[in-house]
Amino acid sequence: MSGKYEVQPRKLGTKSKPKSPSPAPVTQWPADLQVFVEKNLQRSQMLPAPTQKIVNEQMQALLQMAANTNQVYSTNWKKQKVPVLDGGRLELVPKSAPGAAKRPVTSDSDDTDDFESADRKRARQERFKNAKPKAPVVYATDGPVKGYSQALEKNYLRLTSAPDPANVRPQAVLEKSLKFVMDKYRETNNYSYVIGQFKSIRQDLTVQHIKNMFTIRAYEENARISLDNGDLGEFNQCQTQLKVLYHQQRRRSGKKEFIGSEPEFILYRIIYMLITHNQTEMAKIYTEVITTTRQYEATDDQRRVFDLSQTLFDCQQHILTKNFTELFTQFRKLRTASDSCKVPLVGKTVWSLLAPKLQMRSLAMVSTAYRKLSLEVIEHMFAITKQFYEDAGLSKYITETDFDCVAARQQLHQIVNSPKFSRVDIKGQK
């Protein structure tokens, strides 16, 4: 036998060295890799162009590294980091495989094993040499796209290649599209429709690098509708971008002032952190509000809305100390105040997304201390109505005037201690 796969004789008593495997051609890229590329492109969209370029270069390097070392499928793309975004070094994160035993590579294999290994590699290379896998595309984002589409409606599709200007709408068209979509939503109340349209609007703004007051208005409308529909995941995506957009617009103006509906969205951020039990972020917001935001120039309306933040911080303290009676007193005041300040979604969100679990916790807490409680007293303390008992499956414990705490105690504690109760339903972030 001659050529590349010729077996060379060796001296007796010597050991053959294991041969390094050749990179195997990749015929299909894993779905997690595609998600990794798309997710990090989206993360980099609001960054400066030079940073976006570094993101692209580092992702290309990681893909090449994985392909060259046969680690495309053994890399944990869900946890893979891009150094410029996440810190760390440019290296692949391997998958953990508990209990999986690797085939040992020994140093005393005989010549037959070496030959069969080489033969199998040759057969595999012949089989795949004409295969042309479609790799995930990392498209250049060095400059903005200039769109010229005139469509008012457009379905949202993830970008896996450079955007086509014929399918991208310029700002003038996007302004008409936003009005059209909002009007249609008010008529139909179809959330699935409107959120798809908002995503396509945001995508067109991003690929054209449009970051102005219209961009802020589009994200604000999207965030309000998502919050009103209980979609915390979509809301969080919008409010995260809004925080950046507010900062950029303020820097351009050169003034310490509120931008757009920023005071309103400070309140939403606080409520979101209360819902998700994020005490660390709450501390950051509190410091930001006390040290910086209170000094901003504001209209009378903006200042009235902003001042509601103190009520929410007070609510946080009542939650931490389990002073539920005072908590629901503050919730009632907040609903009235938010209506008078023309931000009714603040009060609505507190009562629809934050209050129900706190009401259940308060009822479980008092059930350990009382045998019976008047329904009127419970409603006064925790704003719990008969509808709440029905929705929670607790109607069997109420009479015309009282709630039987002893009989309900076990079920109440099972509810508040269950994993499902502690879990926060954040749609769009699963």
Side-chain angles (χ1 to χ4, degrees):
M1 188 176 292
S2 60
K4 180 180 178 181
Y5 298 103
E6 180 177 347
V7 179
Q8 298 294 335
R10 59 184 175 88
K11 295 180 181 180
L12 292 175
T14 61
K15 297 182 178 180
S16 60
K17 296 181 179 180
K19 298 183 178 181
S20 301
S22 302
V26 181
T27 57
Q28 184 177 1
W29 296 85
D32 287 348
L33 174 53
Q34 184 71 52
V35 172
F36 164 76
V37 172
E38 293 173 355
K39 179 187 73 174
N40 287 293
L41 283 175
Q42 187 175 11
R43 291 173 65 195
S44 68
Q45 285 173 351
M46 301 302 293
L47 299 175
T51 307
Q52 292 182 19
K53 185 176 181 181
I54 296 173
V55 172
N56 289 325
E57 290 173 350
Q58 290 187 347
M59 283 199 292
Q60 292 280 19
L62 289 167
L63 297 182
Q64 192 64 46
M65 192 186 307
N68 290 345
T69 58
N70 286 342
Q71 295 185 70
V72 171
Y73 290 95
S74 62
T75 297
N76 191 337
W77 296 108
K78 290 183 178 180
K79 295 184 178 181
Q80 180 61 51
K81 295 181 179 181
V82 180
V84 69
L85 297 176
D86 307 305
R89 297 183 297 175
L90 194 66
E91 58 187 4
L92 298 172
V93 177
K95 288 182 179 178
S96 59
K102 295 184 178 180
R103 181 182 177 184
V105 179
T106 60
S107 59
D108 57 350
S109 302
D110 59 23
D111 288 340
T112 306
D113 289 338
D114 288 341
F115 174 78
E116 288 178 351
S117 176
D119 197 43
R120 283 196 299 271
K121 285 190 291 185
R122 181 175 59 182
R124 184 172 66 247
Q125 289 170 348
E126 288 293 326
R127 187 164 65 251
F128 294 123
K129 70 179 181 179
N130 294 322
K132 295 181 179 179
K134 185 178 181 181
V137 179
V138 181
Y139 57 89
T141 55
D142 292 342
V145 174
K146 292 185 178 181
Y148 54 86
S149 170
Q150 299 298 306
L152 293 181
E153 295 176 290
K154 191 180 84 169
N155 291 330
Y156 170 74
L157 295 173
R158 286 182 180 272
L159 290 175
T160 56
S161 61
D164 183 354
N167 295 325
V168 177
R169 297 163 293 183
Q171 180 172 329
V173 177
L174 289 173
E175 291 177 3
K176 296 177 183 177
S177 176
L178 179 62
K179 183 180 184 305
F180 177 85
V181 168
M182 290 293 295
D183 289 343
K184 192 166 183 178
Y185 173 69
R186 293 186 185 101
E187 293 174 5
T188 64
N189 203 34
N190 186 337
Y191 180 67
S192 296
Y193 162 80
V194 77
I195 203 62
Q197 294 300 314
F198 265 116
K199 283 185 175 182
S200 68
I201 290 172
R202 283 157 41 194
Q203 186 181 71
D204 286 354
L205 288 168
T206 299
V207 299
Q208 295 177 99
H209 295 195
I210 299 174
K211 303 172 186 177
N212 54 24
M213 288 305 299
F214 171 70
T215 308
I216 290 174
R217 183 158 67 89
Y219 272 90
E220 287 179 342
E221 294 290 4
N222 189 165
R224 288 191 187 98
I225 289 175
S226 296
L227 196 58
D228 194 29
N229 284 271
D231 190 344
L232 293 176
E234 191 68 21
F235 163 77
N236 190 43
Q237 290 181 29
C238 293
Q239 70 103 6
T240 301
Q241 292 299 331
L242 279 169
K243 186 178 178 182
V244 176
L245 291 166
Y246 290 144
H247 174 71
Q248 291 175 339
Q249 192 67 26
R250 187 161 32 247
R251 190 169 56 185
R252 291 191 199 104
S253 71
K255 298 179 181 179
K256 291 184 177 181
E257 60 182 358
F258 286 117
I259 304 298
S261 301
E262 189 174 8
E264 177 186 356
F265 278 85
I266 289 173
L267 302 183
Y268 295 145
R269 278 179 63 204
I270 297 172
I271 295 170
Y272 177 82
M273 298 310 164
L274 288 174
I275 292 171
T276 55
H277 319 298
N278 193 334
Q279 301 301 330
T280 301
E281 194 63 27
M282 277 291 291
K284 290 180 182 178
I285 297 173
Y286 182 78
T287 302
E288 176 186 326
V289 166
I290 294 299
T291 60
T292 305
T293 316
R294 285 194 184 279
Q295 311 305 318
Y296 289 168
E297 297 176 14
T299 64
D300 290 342
D301 288 341
Q302 287 177 327
R303 185 59 62 188
R304 279 195 294 271
V305 172
F306 175 75
D307 287 344
L308 295 178
S309 62
Q310 186 57 54
T311 304
L312 287 172
F313 289 131
D314 291 341
C315 289
Q316 181 201 18
Q317 292 304 310
H318 296 320
I319 292 172
L320 293 175
T321 58
K322 297 184 179 180
N323 187 353
F324 294 122
T325 303
E326 186 59 33
L327 174 67
F328 285 99
T329 299
Q330 293 295 324
F331 278 180
R332 289 186 179 98
K333 290 180 180 178
L334 189 64
R335 178 163 52 190
T336 303
S338 65
D339 287 344
S340 65
C341 291
K342 299 180 181 179
V343 285
L345 187 56
V346 171
K348 180 180 178 181
T349 303
V350 164
W351 283 98
S352 62
L353 299 181
L354 181 59
K357 287 187 177 181
L358 293 169
Q359 287 172 317
M360 187 66 73
R361 288 191 185 281
S362 63
L363 195 58
M365 185 181 71
V366 297
S367 73
T368 63
Y370 295 91
R371 296 184 63 83
K372 285 187 178 181
L373 267 178
S374 164
L375 295 177
E376 184 178 351
V377 169
I378 294 175
E379 183 173 0
H380 173 72
M381 290 193 300
F382 312 130
I384 294 176
T385 64
K386 286 189 176 181
Q387 186 62 49
F388 178 88
Y389 299 109
E390 292 176 11
D391 294 342
L394 300 171
S395 297
K396 56 189 175 184
Y397 302 117
I398 64 174
T399 64
E400 289 186 4
T401 59
D402 298 321
F403 179 73
D404 190 338
C405 296
V406 174
R409 189 174 298 159
Q410 183 178 0
Q411 184 174 341
L412 283 169
H413 285 275
Q414 285 177 346
I415 291 172
V416 298
N417 292 321
S418 67
K420 183 179 179 181
F421 185 82
S422 301
R423 190 180 305 122
V424 180
D425 182 17
I426 304 181
K427 302 173 184 176
Q429 290 195 171
K430 295 178 180 178

